Structures are given as structure tokens and as C-alpha cells.
Amino acid sequence: MSENIYIFSNGELKRKQNTIYFEVKDGNHKYLPVENIREIHLFGEVILNKDALEFLSQKEIILHFYNYYGYYVGSFYPREHYNSGYILLKQVEHYLDFEKRRYLALKFVEGAISNIITVLSYYRRKGINLESLDKINALYQNLFYQNTIEEIMAIEGKVREIYYSEFNKIIENKEFIMDKRSKKPPENQINALISFGNSLLYSYILSEIYKTHLDPRIGYLHATNFRRFTLNLDIAEIFKPIIVDRVIFYITNKNMLSSRDFEEKLNGIYLKESGRKIFISKIEEKLRTTVFYKKLGKNVSYRRLIRMELYKLEKHLIGDEKYYPLISEW
Amino acid sequence: MCGLLNINMAYVNGTLIASYFICKRELWFMAHELTPDQDNSFLELGRFIEEDYYKREEKGFIVGEMKIDIVKQGDENVIIGEIKKSSRSELTGIMQLSYYLMRLKEIGIIAKGEVLIPKERKKIPVELTKEIEEKLRKAIEEIQMIIMEPFPPKLEKIPYCTHCAYREFCWS
Amino acid sequence: MYVIMVYDINEERVNKVLKVGRKYLTWVQNSVLEGEITEAKFEKLKIEIKEIINPEEDSVIFYIFRTTKYTEREILGIEKNKKDNMFL
């Protein structure tokens, strides 16, 4: 049983015999090894009672909820177990002090753009004509002269626009055409994949934040809004190109998806259950893939890389070591 | 004993004493509530050993800010025990226990100590000596100073890093 | 690591063993559970099982694999419970 469980069926999730038990509406059931589960993603209509939530909370299992369209809607984030008033104060300090906030916002975007360049360079080496790389490089140089958070975000927006326009060259399968990034609703299949992949990534990062002392409500690039989680959105910028986008290129170029895996709803295009399962399998595989981490001197999974990015941020906040974003060499 | 020392010592607990003899950086983290990764396999194993091997004994005594693993009545004196996962932490166990013994002595309780390593079926008796007491006093003083530092002590590669629950934190 | 747990337990206690096993591993068929588990969790599982069984009468065997890379799984007849499925 994987550490992450994805529930697509409709049914009831309960505590039974000191473990978790899922009863599918059609009468099937399954016991889940509570000691080995880290998070449960709920896509189906699932009934939960307080007893189950208390049990999940005690076992520190996070629930991520998605709506009918596969959008992330929220999480059940058990009472925090890694509490540190010290880190919280430092997190706030780095938000309120504009220069400190700007530094972090800038570094997150620097990581995002650098990793976009890494991804594009890989395809250029494979012989794809990606002339936009020069434009992106120029914008990257410009990044460091931006003063406000809005300006920093604007640079990132421009880079992404150019980057997405190159997707058609990278994706060989002509069933998938990208015109421009559209979110709500996604207007084509590639946009549906990006939206779904990003949703998953936000939830994975949130789960990792849970295992640190950081408060997910305080972000730096994405304005802190005390009702929503934003730190996971910040960190996601760094990982989108090397996790989500690479999975998209992989599954489309290997013809693992076809238009049968999508459907049209509310003028938008969405992944169907079959498509979501394929995507999840591949992104899970990606998260388990390991790469060599020089400073640590051992192999770590992509999932672990996310955690370590958060550790770097914590060290920055406590004044131990300045934060530099992960720039993929792989 | 002088009251001043007691006030200063109020910030020090057994874990900090143990950390002091292992890694000053860990000490600083501990003092700032920066707990290590609880999923760390070594840490998790240590927890089970503590929880399960000594189910029958009375345990988890809190005296002031000290958390003593085991307290039992010996032939003459009270015996306090500290559970460790392996011989690797024998020395820190001795220092930790000595610290408890010293604190108990201050409030008029004469006790003996035992470092317990259930996995290796080892029991190391600990007695408070003048030398150790001196060492501890110096440690306490230095601990106060390290804790007051605005930043953690600089990163340094030591053999302990390999199995440390802070490894990925430090080396990320 | 990957563990396959097989047990032969007196009727009086068999249910208790199953209950504990299910907290850590996935039930595959009668008296067999398996799954990915960390070293620490495996220790915990063994401690819990030891508390239940009667060492004179019961037997539990663990097959331990560092990796399942070189193993294969073949089923004749029906598959009673799909193992290792992250989708429900």
C-alpha cells in the first residue's frame, strides 16, 4: 500500500479495529494500514464522521479534498504537531520587513525561472528549436532589478507565457495543442493537465510543510491571506517545471493519454477519472525518483527535495544560512 | 545551594545536557523548539524502545524540568534509569543521569543511576563524582551561553551526523 | 523494505493478530499480509505481535525484502484483494 491513498469511489471512510476502513457504496471494503499512510486524497463522494477525523488527526494523516472538476478545495490539517513559536515569529518578521520579503519572493521566482530554463535546455539539446530561451534568459536577468512583489510576479507571468507557448514544440502528440494558459476553466487538454498537476503539487507541498515548523499561511511571493494557505504556492513555483511539466511531457509524448481521458464540462476541459489516475501514477513515480544531493552526500527523492527546500527556508529564517532556491541539474 | 544557580539552571533539562555532549548545534535547535524530523527512522526506533521495553517499570517521572525515564526503589537508594538505544549514546546517558543525580542531591535526595540499553542487554551503573559534577557545572554555564546566541553554531561535519535526525535539516 | 507476513495462530488469538497486522500491512488472503514498511514501523509491528501470541503454540513468519525489484508475483485462481493499489 502506498503512503498516499487516492479515493475515487463513493463511500464511507471510518475508523474500524484501530485502523482505517473504507467501505465502497457497492459493498466492497478495504482496511488501510493506518501506520503507513501519510495522506489521503479524496476525489469521490466520501462520508466521514468525527470519530474518523479524530483518529486521522491522532495518526497525523492529512486529508486533501478535490471538487468534481479535480480542483483542490481544501485540506484537513491535523492540529499542528511541530510547533515552534520561534519560527512563527521569524516567518512573520520576514513578511513584515519588506526587504526580507522581497528577497524570498525573488528567490522563489529565480528558482522557478531557472528550472524552466533547465527544462527547456534539455529539449533544445534534443534538437528542438526553442528560440524563446533567449527571451526567457533576458527576462531572468531583468528579474533582479524588480522592486515590488507585483513586478517580480509580472516577470514570472511573462516567462510562463513564453514557456507555455513552447509546449507545442515539446509535445509531439498533435492531439494536444496548447494555445495559451487558461485556468478557470481550462480551455484545452494541456491546460487541464497543468491545472490538475499543479493542484496535486500544492497538496503534496502542504503535506511536507506539515512535517516542518513552518506555518503554511504565511507566504512571501503570494500575498499572505490568513484564511488560505500560501506558502505551498510559493514553493510550488520552484517545483512546477521539474515535476508537473515533466510529467505532462512524459505522458503526452508516450501517448499514455488520449482525448477519451478528457471531458467537456461547463465550457471547460477536464481530466476524467481514467486520466487522473494515469497522471497520479506518473507523478507519484516522479516523486519517488531519486537524485544525488551533493551537500547531503546521498540520494534523495523528489518528495524529499521538497522537504529539504522547506528546511533551507527555515534555516534562512533563523539566520543560519541564506536561502538559495533549488536549481535542478537533473 | 545558592539560589542564583537554581534560577540559571531552570532553563536546562536532560535533553539539553545530552545534546551539549553530542552537538552544540543540536543543543541550540532543541532550545529553540526546533524539534527534529519525527519520521526519522533512528528516532522512531529509539522511541519504541523506550516505550515498549520497559512497560512494566514506572516511568516518565517529571521532577522540575527534568524528565526521568525510570524511577525504582533499590536496596538502599532510589535508582533512576535512562534508556538508550545503543552503546553509541552511553556517554551522553551517563552525563544526563549525573545531571539528574546532581539536581536530586540539591533537594536532598541521594540516588543512584543506571544507563539502560535494552537492545544490548546492558546496564551501566552511574554514580555522581566530584569530577563529573565539575564538568556539569561548566556545561550548564556554557549551555546558557549557547542558547542566548542569536544564531545556531556553525555547521560542522561530525560522525554523529550520519544517524542524526537533523541530518537533512543541516545538510539541505 | 517490503515485508510478507504469514501466520498460523490459535483460533483464540488469530483475530487479534490480524487486527494488528492490518494496521501496518495490507491483507492479501487468509493468514497473509504484505506491504512496504519502514524499519521502525516493522519493529513496532513485531513488538505488538509478540504481546499477543503464545510462543508455544503460534507462529508468525516474516519474509523481508530490501527491494522487490527481483521478485515476481504470480496468482492462480482469484486475487482476493488487490494489493499495493493506491486507488480506491
Side-chain angles (χ1 to χ4, degrees):
Chain A
M1 184 67 65
S2 155
E3 291 180 306
N4 298 347
I5 303 290
Y6 300 83
I7 300 182
F8 283 94
S9 321
N10 300 334
E12 194 173 352
L13 195 63
K14 336 181 190 184
R15 170 190 189 153
K16 195 170 176 182
Q17 299 185 340
N18 271 326
T19 193
I20 312 167
Y21 176 84
F22 186 69
E23 201 170 58
V24 190
K25 238 181 175 172
D26 67 15
N28 271 319
H29 68 258
K30 191 156 186 157
Y31 286 93
L32 309 177
V34 68
E35 298 290 342
N36 278 338
I37 293 174
R38 184 187 2 219
E39 56 195 54
I40 303 175
H41 298 255
L42 300 121
F43 291 92
E45 287 302 323
V46 177
I47 298 166
L48 278 155
N49 65 15
K50 180 166 154 284
D51 188 40
L53 287 172
E54 265 176 30
F55 186 55
L56 291 163
S57 177
Q58 182 199 334
K59 294 291 174 186
E60 290 165 7
I61 294 169
I62 302 180
L63 300 180
H64 297 297
F65 297 90
Y66 300 82
N67 69 11
Y68 182 63
Y69 304 103
Y71 275 125
Y72 170 77
V73 290
S75 301
F76 173 67
Y77 198 76
R79 191 169 52 83
E80 299 200 45
H81 65 304
Y82 283 79
N83 264 321
S84 166
Y86 184 69
I87 286 280
L88 181 63
L89 287 176
K90 288 288 170 189
Q91 241 185 302
V92 173
E93 181 192 317
H94 282 253
Y95 183 80
L96 296 176
D97 181 318
F98 180 73
E99 261 318 301
K100 287 180 177 163
R101 178 176 170 200
R102 181 184 166 272
Y103 178 83
L104 285 172
L106 195 74
K107 287 296 148 186
F108 294 146
V109 174
E110 183 184 332
I113 300 179
S114 300
N115 288 330
I116 283 173
I117 293 172
T118 303
V119 167
L120 288 178
S121 302
Y122 167 80
Y123 286 100
R124 181 147 82 175
R125 279 199 305 278
K126 280 184 79 175
I128 298 173
N129 177 25
L130 298 166
E131 65 267 3
S132 66
L133 247 173
D134 300 330
K135 263 193 268 173
I136 291 178
N137 270 315
L139 282 165
Y140 176 74
Q141 299 303 328
N142 243 320
L143 174 68
F144 302 94
Y145 301 103
Q146 306 308 313
N147 291 315
T148 66
I149 307 289
E150 290 69 31
E151 285 165 0
I152 291 170
M153 282 187 119
I155 294 273
E156 195 200 7
K158 274 185 210 152
V159 168
R160 283 205 188 271
E161 198 182 309
I162 299 168
Y163 170 57
Y164 287 133
S165 72
E166 296 289 43
F167 272 36
N168 287 336
K169 292 187 199 155
I170 295 170
I171 297 168
E172 296 151 21
N173 186 339
K174 291 306 159 216
E175 225 180 316
F176 298 100
I177 305 284
M178 177 75 172
D179 46 4
K180 64 175 196 323
R181 177 77 178 115
S182 50
K183 286 180 189 167
K184 292 196 173 176
E187 282 162 9
N188 58 42
Q189 295 168 346
I190 292 297
N191 272 301
L193 290 172
I194 296 171
S195 290
F196 185 65
N198 289 348
S199 265
L200 289 173
L201 184 64
Y202 297 146
S203 70
Y204 297 142
I205 296 176
L206 184 62
S207 300
E208 290 302 316
I209 292 175
Y210 182 65
K211 300 280 185 181
T212 70
H213 305 88
L214 296 162
D215 190 312
R217 290 169 297 182
I218 303 170
Y220 299 94
L221 177 64
H222 295 85
T224 287
N225 169 340
F226 284 97
R227 282 172 298 132
R228 274 199 58 185
F229 298 138
T230 48
L231 184 60
N232 55 337
L233 309 185
D234 282 9
I235 301 293
E237 298 301 334
I238 299 167
F239 289 97
K240 280 176 188 173
I242 55 176
I243 295 180
V244 177
D245 300 345
R246 277 184 176 157
V247 167
I248 292 173
F249 300 148
Y250 184 84
I251 53 182
T252 49
N253 282 337
K254 294 267 179 204
N255 298 320
M256 297 175 79
L257 284 178
S258 74
S259 45
R260 281 194 308 276
D261 297 306
F262 295 85
E263 61 190 327
E264 203 174 332
K265 274 188 285 205
L266 275 175
N267 300 322
I269 306 282
Y270 297 94
L271 264 175
K272 282 202 290 203
E273 188 178 316
S274 59
R276 287 180 197 169
K277 283 181 172 170
I278 291 166
F279 198 103
I280 289 167
S281 304
K282 286 299 143 193
I283 201 166
E284 278 274 343
E285 218 173 84
K286 186 87 196 165
L287 290 171
R288 283 193 294 269
T289 307
T290 61
V291 290
F292 188 72
Y293 200 92
K294 236 184 265 160
K295 193 173 170 195
L296 185 67
K298 68 170 192 179
N299 282 329
V300 290
S301 65
Y302 273 83
R303 177 120 208 172
R304 209 63 185 167
L305 284 177
I306 296 174
R307 175 83 64 89
M308 292 175 72
E309 202 62 14
L310 298 167
Y311 286 159
K312 277 157 56 183
L313 181 58
E314 281 193 17
K315 288 193 288 186
H316 175 84
L317 297 173
I318 62 174
D320 180 42
E321 214 177 303
K322 223 171 165 59
Y323 173 79
Y324 293 100
L326 170 84
I327 294 172
S328 173
E329 296 164 23
W330 314 283
Chain B
M1 272 307 289
C2 67
L4 192 68
L5 190 61
N6 268 330
I7 290 168
N8 279 338
M9 278 164 75
Y11 295 100
V12 178
N13 58 36
T15 320
L16 295 184
I17 293 280
S19 297
Y20 173 83
F21 290 100
I22 297 165
C23 168
K24 311 272 190 289
R25 197 170 148 87
E26 181 186 288
L27 167 67
W28 192 95
F29 291 151
M30 288 285 191
H32 286 80
E33 302 162 77
L34 288 168
T35 41
D37 180 12
Q38 300 299 312
D39 293 341
N40 178 286
S41 206
F42 299 105
L43 206 74
E44 221 181 351
L45 270 173
R47 250 201 329 264
F48 303 150
I49 288 166
E50 199 177 307
E51 281 168 18
D52 294 295
Y53 279 67
Y54 286 91
K55 274 221 164 108
R56 283 143 297 144
E57 317 262 356
E58 281 198 77
K59 51 167 210 173
F61 273 80
I62 310 230
V63 184
E65 67 294 332
M66 299 181 284
K67 200 186 132 274
I68 300 171
D69 285 349
I70 289 170
V71 178
K72 60 183 181 194
Q73 186 60 51
D75 293 339
E76 293 168 36
N77 297 324
V78 171
I79 297 172
I80 59 172
E82 172 68 27
I83 301 163
K84 290 288 173 202
K85 198 169 60 220
S86 78
S87 311
R88 254 206 321 258
S89 4
E90 188 181 312
L91 204 78
T92 52
I94 292 173
M95 293 319 285
Q96 220 172 321
L97 272 176
S98 304
Y99 173 68
Y100 298 149
L101 293 175
M102 190 169 98
R103 298 299 310 273
L104 290 173
K105 199 174 109 183
E106 279 167 22
I107 53 171
I109 299 169
I110 302 299
K112 283 190 171 170
E114 267 174 7
V115 176
L116 303 158
I117 308 172
K119 271 249 147 154
E120 301 169 14
R121 297 178 186 283
K122 263 175 125 175
K123 222 183 237 184
I124 300 119
V126 178
E127 263 180 87
L128 193 61
T129 63
K130 273 264 162 323
E131 281 159 271
I132 289 183
E133 248 181 283
E134 212 30 65
K135 233 186 192 174
L136 281 169
R137 275 181 215 292
K138 205 184 133 242
I140 290 161
E141 224 171 87
E142 229 179 286
I143 287 170
Q144 317 276 2
M145 275 162 40
I146 294 166
I147 291 173
M148 302 298 261
E149 287 292 324
F151 309 119
K154 277 273 157 280
L155 192 60
E156 208 183 309
K157 182 115 190 132
I158 56 170
Y160 183 78
C161 291
T162 321
H163 297 296
C164 180
Y166 285 106
R167 179 179 176 183
E168 287 175 350
F169 184 85
C170 281
W171 300 97
S172 62
Chain C
M1 59 189 183
Y2 198 86
V3 167
I4 301 174
M5 170 179 157
V6 184
Y7 56 86
D8 187 338
I9 309 279
N10 184 301
E11 215 181 317
E12 284 170 36
R13 292 175 294 272
V14 68
N15 241 327
K16 281 190 186 162
V17 170
L18 171 64
K19 272 191 214 169
V20 166
R22 266 195 312 231
K23 283 166 37 184
Y24 298 86
L25 302 166
T26 306
W27 180 85
V28 180
Q29 59 184 36
N30 284 341
S31 305
V32 183
L33 295 118
E34 61 180 80
E36 197 61 46
I37 191 168
T38 64
E39 223 173 299
K41 293 274 158 65
F42 184 45
E43 284 302 317
K44 209 175 164 187
L45 168 62
K46 284 191 290 186
I47 289 167
E48 279 199 57
I49 299 268
K50 259 193 227 161
E51 273 167 20
I52 300 167
I53 60 168
N54 175 351
E56 311 282 300
E57 276 181 50
D58 306 332
S59 167
V60 180
I61 302 174
F62 294 101
Y63 296 92
I64 301 154
F65 304 85
R66 283 268 149 252
T67 155
T68 48
K69 226 183 197 166
Y70 307 104
T71 64
E72 250 175 78
R73 199 168 186 268
E74 221 179 285
I75 299 165
L76 298 180
I78 57 162
E79 185 169 20
K80 294 229 174 169
N81 189 15
K82 276 219 179 75
K83 64 132 211 170
D84 218 30
N85 194 346
M86 60 182 169
F87 298 118
L88 287 176

